[in-house]
mmCIF file of all heavy atoms in Angstrom:
data_model
loop_
_atom_site.group_PDB
_atom_site.id
_atom_site.type_symbol
_atom_site.label_atom_id
_atom_site.label_comp_id
_atom_site.label_asym_id
_atom_site.label_seq_id
_atom_site.Cartn_x
_atom_site.Cartn_y
_atom_site.Cartn_z
ATOM 1 N N THR A 347 68.141 40.909 28.414
ATOM 2 C CA THR A 347 68.430 42.307 28.043
ATOM 3 C C THR A 347 69.019 42.343 26.663
ATOM 4 O O THR A 347 69.136 43.392 26.046
ATOM 5 C CB THR A 347 69.383 42.961 28.950
ATOM 6 O OG1 THR A 347 70.663 42.247 28.910
ATOM 7 C CG2 THR A 347 68.881 42.890 30.409
ATOM 8 N N HIS A 348 69.424 41.217 26.111
ATOM 9 C CA HIS A 348 69.900 41.121 24.730
ATOM 10 C C HIS A 348 69.794 39.700 24.168
ATOM 11 O O HIS A 348 69.687 38.727 25.013
ATOM 12 C CB HIS A 348 71.362 41.676 24.566
ATOM 13 C CG HIS A 348 72.369 41.056 25.513
ATOM 14 N ND1 HIS A 348 73.604 41.496 25.587
ATOM 15 C CD2 HIS A 348 72.244 40.030 26.378
ATOM 16 C CE1 HIS A 348 74.265 40.786 26.533
ATOM 17 N NE2 HIS A 348 73.454 39.890 26.977
ATOM 18 N N THR A 349 69.725 39.563 22.902
ATOM 19 C CA THR A 349 69.624 38.179 22.362
ATOM 20 C C THR A 349 71.006 37.493 22.345
ATOM 21 O O THR A 349 71.132 36.389 21.931
ATOM 22 C CB THR A 349 69.061 38.204 20.962
ATOM 23 O OG1 THR A 349 69.607 39.253 20.179
ATOM 24 C CG2 THR A 349 67.531 38.348 21.001
ATOM 25 N N THR A 350 72.024 38.281 22.821
ATOM 26 C CA THR A 350 73.345 37.610 22.911
ATOM 27 C C THR A 350 73.304 36.473 23.956
ATOM 28 O O THR A 350 74.110 35.569 23.975
ATOM 29 C CB THR A 350 74.386 38.685 23.293
ATOM 30 O OG1 THR A 350 74.169 39.880 22.406
ATOM 31 C CG2 THR A 350 75.826 38.217 23.036
ATOM 32 N N SER A 353 72.644 33.670 21.840
ATOM 33 C CA SER A 353 73.861 33.312 21.172
ATOM 34 C C SER A 353 74.778 32.481 22.131
ATOM 35 O O SER A 353 75.346 31.536 21.706
ATOM 36 C CB SER A 353 74.656 34.523 20.694
ATOM 37 O OG SER A 353 73.817 35.294 19.841
ATOM 38 N N ARG A 379 64.724 46.224 28.531
ATOM 39 C CA ARG A 379 65.597 46.970 29.293
ATOM 40 C C ARG A 379 64.828 48.061 30.110
ATOM 41 O O ARG A 379 63.847 48.627 29.674
ATOM 42 C CB ARG A 379 66.617 47.747 28.412
ATOM 43 C CG ARG A 379 67.565 46.732 27.835
ATOM 44 C CD ARG A 379 68.718 47.371 27.008
ATOM 45 N NE ARG A 379 69.328 46.328 26.259
ATOM 46 C CZ ARG A 379 70.289 46.494 25.372
ATOM 47 N NH1 ARG A 379 70.691 47.738 25.086
ATOM 48 N NH2 ARG A 379 70.730 45.524 24.656
ATOM 49 N N PHE A 391 62.165 46.097 23.036
ATOM 50 C CA PHE A 391 62.380 46.270 21.618
ATOM 51 C C PHE A 391 62.853 44.982 21.018
ATOM 52 O O PHE A 391 63.139 43.943 21.758
ATOM 53 C CB PHE A 391 63.262 47.436 21.308
ATOM 54 C CG PHE A 391 64.746 47.294 21.851
ATOM 55 C CD1 PHE A 391 65.792 46.823 21.054
ATOM 56 C CD2 PHE A 391 65.008 47.570 23.221
ATOM 57 C CE1 PHE A 391 67.043 46.725 21.598
ATOM 58 C CE2 PHE A 391 66.263 47.464 23.743
ATOM 59 C CZ PHE A 391 67.280 47.025 22.950
ATOM 60 N N GLN A 393 65.628 42.836 18.856
ATOM 61 C CA GLN A 393 67.017 42.864 18.472
ATOM 62 C C GLN A 393 67.315 41.898 17.339
ATOM 63 O O GLN A 393 66.750 40.765 17.320
ATOM 64 C CB GLN A 393 67.862 42.524 19.697
ATOM 65 C CG GLN A 393 69.217 43.142 19.723
ATOM 66 C CD GLN A 393 69.881 43.062 21.096
ATOM 67 O OE1 GLN A 393 69.828 41.985 21.653
ATOM 68 N NE2 GLN A 393 70.524 44.068 21.450
ATOM 69 N N VAL A 394 68.119 42.407 16.425
ATOM 70 C CA VAL A 394 68.542 41.543 15.301
ATOM 71 C C VAL A 394 69.974 41.176 15.639
ATOM 72 O O VAL A 394 70.814 42.048 15.920
ATOM 73 C CB VAL A 394 68.552 42.308 13.972
ATOM 74 C CG1 VAL A 394 68.997 41.518 12.827
ATOM 75 C CG2 VAL A 394 67.128 42.918 13.733
ATOM 76 N N GLU A 395 70.256 39.904 15.594
ATOM 77 C CA GLU A 395 71.670 39.511 15.966
ATOM 78 C C GLU A 395 72.138 38.495 14.947
ATOM 79 O O GLU A 395 71.485 37.612 14.512
ATOM 80 C CB GLU A 395 71.594 38.908 17.357
ATOM 81 C CG GLU A 395 72.884 38.391 17.872
ATOM 82 C CD GLU A 395 73.166 38.669 19.341
ATOM 83 O OE1 GLU A 395 72.618 39.672 19.855
ATOM 84 O OE2 GLU A 395 73.921 37.912 19.934
ATOM 85 N N GLY A 396 73.409 38.610 14.606
ATOM 86 C CA GLY A 396 74.015 37.698 13.666
ATOM 87 C C GLY A 396 75.380 37.244 14.260
ATOM 88 O O GLY A 396 76.052 37.978 14.951
ATOM 89 N N ASN A 431 82.433 46.189 24.973
ATOM 90 C CA ASN A 431 81.444 45.199 25.512
ATOM 91 C C ASN A 431 82.253 44.278 26.371
ATOM 92 O O ASN A 431 83.363 43.880 25.941
ATOM 93 C CB ASN A 431 80.743 44.400 24.371
ATOM 94 C CG ASN A 431 79.971 45.282 23.426
ATOM 95 O OD1 ASN A 431 79.127 46.047 23.854
ATOM 96 N ND2 ASN A 431 80.254 45.093 22.163
ATOM 97 N N TYR A 433 82.004 41.228 26.556
ATOM 98 C CA TYR A 433 82.153 39.942 25.965
ATOM 99 C C TYR A 433 82.860 39.973 24.557
ATOM 100 O O TYR A 433 83.027 38.905 23.995
ATOM 101 C CB TYR A 433 80.806 39.213 25.806
ATOM 102 C CG TYR A 433 79.681 40.186 25.449
ATOM 103 C CD1 TYR A 433 79.372 40.435 24.150
ATOM 104 C CD2 TYR A 433 78.933 40.903 26.458
ATOM 105 C CE1 TYR A 433 78.321 41.425 23.788
ATOM 106 C CE2 TYR A 433 77.965 41.831 26.163
ATOM 107 C CZ TYR A 433 77.625 42.059 24.828
ATOM 108 O OH TYR A 433 76.692 42.951 24.525
ATOM 109 N N THR A 434 83.141 41.186 24.081
ATOM 110 C CA THR A 434 83.856 41.156 22.788
ATOM 111 C C THR A 434 85.165 42.003 22.874
ATOM 112 O O THR A 434 85.289 42.962 23.647
ATOM 113 C CB THR A 434 82.992 41.758 21.657
ATOM 114 O OG1 THR A 434 82.492 43.054 22.089
ATOM 115 C CG2 THR A 434 81.854 40.911 21.224
ATOM 116 N N SER A 437 85.735 45.571 20.005
ATOM 117 C CA SER A 437 84.287 45.903 19.765
ATOM 118 C C SER A 437 84.233 47.127 18.903
ATOM 119 O O SER A 437 85.044 48.066 19.018
ATOM 120 C CB SER A 437 83.669 46.132 21.116
ATOM 121 O OG SER A 437 83.989 45.221 22.060
ATOM 122 N N MET A 438 83.170 47.138 18.137
ATOM 123 C CA MET A 438 82.977 48.328 17.227
ATOM 124 C C MET A 438 81.493 48.720 17.183
ATOM 125 O O MET A 438 80.666 47.891 16.979
ATOM 126 C CB MET A 438 83.408 48.068 15.815
ATOM 127 C CG MET A 438 84.849 47.591 15.647
ATOM 128 S SD MET A 438 85.247 47.320 13.910
ATOM 129 C CE MET A 438 84.038 46.130 13.431
ATOM 130 N N GLY A 454 74.422 49.972 14.809
ATOM 131 C CA GLY A 454 74.598 48.662 15.476
ATOM 132 C C GLY A 454 75.909 48.627 16.259
ATOM 133 O O GLY A 454 76.658 49.593 16.386
ATOM 134 N N ASN A 455 76.145 47.426 16.839
ATOM 135 C CA ASN A 455 77.236 47.182 17.731
ATOM 136 C C ASN A 455 77.808 45.842 17.287
ATOM 137 O O ASN A 455 77.023 44.958 16.831
ATOM 138 C CB ASN A 455 76.666 47.205 19.173
ATOM 139 C CG ASN A 455 77.810 47.011 20.193
ATOM 140 O OD1 ASN A 455 79.018 46.971 19.900
ATOM 141 N ND2 ASN A 455 77.359 47.046 21.416
ATOM 142 N N SER A 456 79.076 45.673 17.468
ATOM 143 C CA SER A 456 79.601 44.347 16.958
ATOM 144 C C SER A 456 80.951 44.041 17.693
ATOM 145 O O SER A 456 81.443 44.846 18.435
ATOM 146 C CB SER A 456 79.939 44.509 15.513
ATOM 147 O OG SER A 456 80.991 45.430 15.266
ATOM 148 N N GLY A 457 81.457 42.853 17.361
ATOM 149 C CA GLY A 457 82.757 42.499 17.964
ATOM 150 C C GLY A 457 83.090 41.068 17.831
ATOM 151 O O GLY A 457 82.345 40.314 17.160
ATOM 152 N N ILE A 458 84.265 40.738 18.347
ATOM 153 C CA ILE A 458 84.742 39.303 18.304
ATOM 154 C C ILE A 458 84.679 38.790 19.742
ATOM 155 O O ILE A 458 85.295 39.432 20.644
ATOM 156 C CB ILE A 458 86.105 39.212 17.650
ATOM 157 C CG1 ILE A 458 86.013 39.714 16.231
ATOM 158 C CG2 ILE A 458 86.648 37.767 17.745
ATOM 159 C CD1 ILE A 458 87.268 39.658 15.418
ATOM 160 N N PHE A 459 83.960 37.722 19.986
ATOM 161 C CA PHE A 459 83.793 37.201 21.321
ATOM 162 C C PHE A 459 85.139 36.901 21.973
ATOM 163 O O PHE A 459 86.013 36.335 21.320
ATOM 164 C CB PHE A 459 82.865 36.009 21.363
ATOM 165 C CG PHE A 459 81.436 36.368 21.163
ATOM 166 C CD1 PHE A 459 80.586 35.631 20.266
ATOM 167 C CD2 PHE A 459 80.808 37.431 21.849
ATOM 168 C CE1 PHE A 459 79.286 35.924 20.096
ATOM 169 C CE2 PHE A 459 79.386 37.750 21.653
ATOM 170 C CZ PHE A 459 78.701 36.974 20.792
ATOM 171 N N MET A 476 82.550 35.873 15.476
ATOM 172 C CA MET A 476 82.288 37.359 15.337
ATOM 173 C C MET A 476 80.776 37.516 15.395
ATOM 174 O O MET A 476 79.982 36.704 14.878
ATOM 175 C CB MET A 476 82.904 37.853 14.041
ATOM 176 C CG MET A 476 82.504 37.138 12.838
ATOM 177 S SD MET A 476 83.693 37.531 11.546
ATOM 178 C CE MET A 476 82.679 37.111 10.133
ATOM 179 N N ALA A 477 80.328 38.701 15.903
ATOM 180 C CA ALA A 477 78.913 38.862 16.051
ATOM 181 C C ALA A 477 78.571 40.390 15.955
ATOM 182 O O ALA A 477 79.393 41.183 16.135
ATOM 183 C CB ALA A 477 78.463 38.296 17.389
ATOM 184 N N TRP A 478 77.294 40.584 15.678
ATOM 185 C CA TRP A 478 76.843 41.961 15.626
ATOM 186 C C TRP A 478 75.381 41.976 16.022
ATOM 187 O O TRP A 478 74.663 40.986 15.885
ATOM 188 C CB TRP A 478 77.081 42.607 14.286
ATOM 189 C CG TRP A 478 76.295 41.981 13.158
ATOM 190 C CD1 TRP A 478 75.144 42.452 12.578
ATOM 191 C CD2 TRP A 478 76.662 40.849 12.385
ATOM 192 N NE1 TRP A 478 74.771 41.656 11.566
ATOM 193 C CE2 TRP A 478 75.637 40.665 11.415
ATOM 194 C CE3 TRP A 478 77.727 39.950 12.424
ATOM 195 C CZ2 TRP A 478 75.687 39.622 10.515
ATOM 196 C CZ3 TRP A 478 77.753 38.863 11.537
ATOM 197 C CH2 TRP A 478 76.743 38.745 10.565
ATOM 198 N N GLY A 479 74.957 43.167 16.516
ATOM 199 C CA GLY A 479 73.554 43.270 16.927
ATOM 200 C C GLY A 479 73.047 44.658 16.514
ATOM 201 O O GLY A 479 73.806 45.602 16.439
ATOM 202 N N LEU A 480 71.704 44.741 16.241
ATOM 203 C CA LEU A 480 71.078 46.056 16.012
ATOM 204 C C LEU A 480 69.619 46.014 16.412
ATOM 205 O O LEU A 480 69.122 44.819 16.541
ATOM 206 C CB LEU A 480 71.271 46.511 14.513
ATOM 207 C CG LEU A 480 70.655 45.682 13.463
ATOM 208 C CD1 LEU A 480 70.156 46.487 12.268
ATOM 209 C CD2 LEU A 480 71.692 44.696 12.934
HETATM 210 N N1 LIG B 16 74.476 42.569 22.701
HETATM 211 C C1 LIG B 16 74.842 43.854 22.185
HETATM 212 C C2 LIG B 16 73.749 44.856 22.466
HETATM 213 O O1 LIG B 16 72.833 44.556 23.082
HETATM 214 C C3 LIG B 16 74.951 43.770 20.678
HETATM 215 C C4 LIG B 16 76.046 42.950 20.268
HETATM 216 C C5 LIG B 16 75.901 41.612 19.800
HETATM 217 C C6 LIG B 16 77.406 43.439 20.353
HETATM 218 C C7 LIG B 16 76.970 40.889 19.436
HETATM 219 C C8 LIG B 16 78.451 42.616 20.018
HETATM 220 C C9 LIG B 16 78.263 41.360 19.560
HETATM 221 O O2 LIG B 16 73.908 46.092 22.159
#
Side-chain angles (χ1 to χ4, degrees):
T347 64
H348 52 187
T349 43
T350 315
S353 304
R379 291 186 194 171
F391 60 98
Q393 210 167 41
V394 179
E395 175 140 336
N431 297 309
Y433 39 90
T434 52
S437 311
M438 302 184 301
N455 185 1
S456 66
I458 298 182
F459 286 135
M476 55 198 202
W478 65 98
L480 61 146

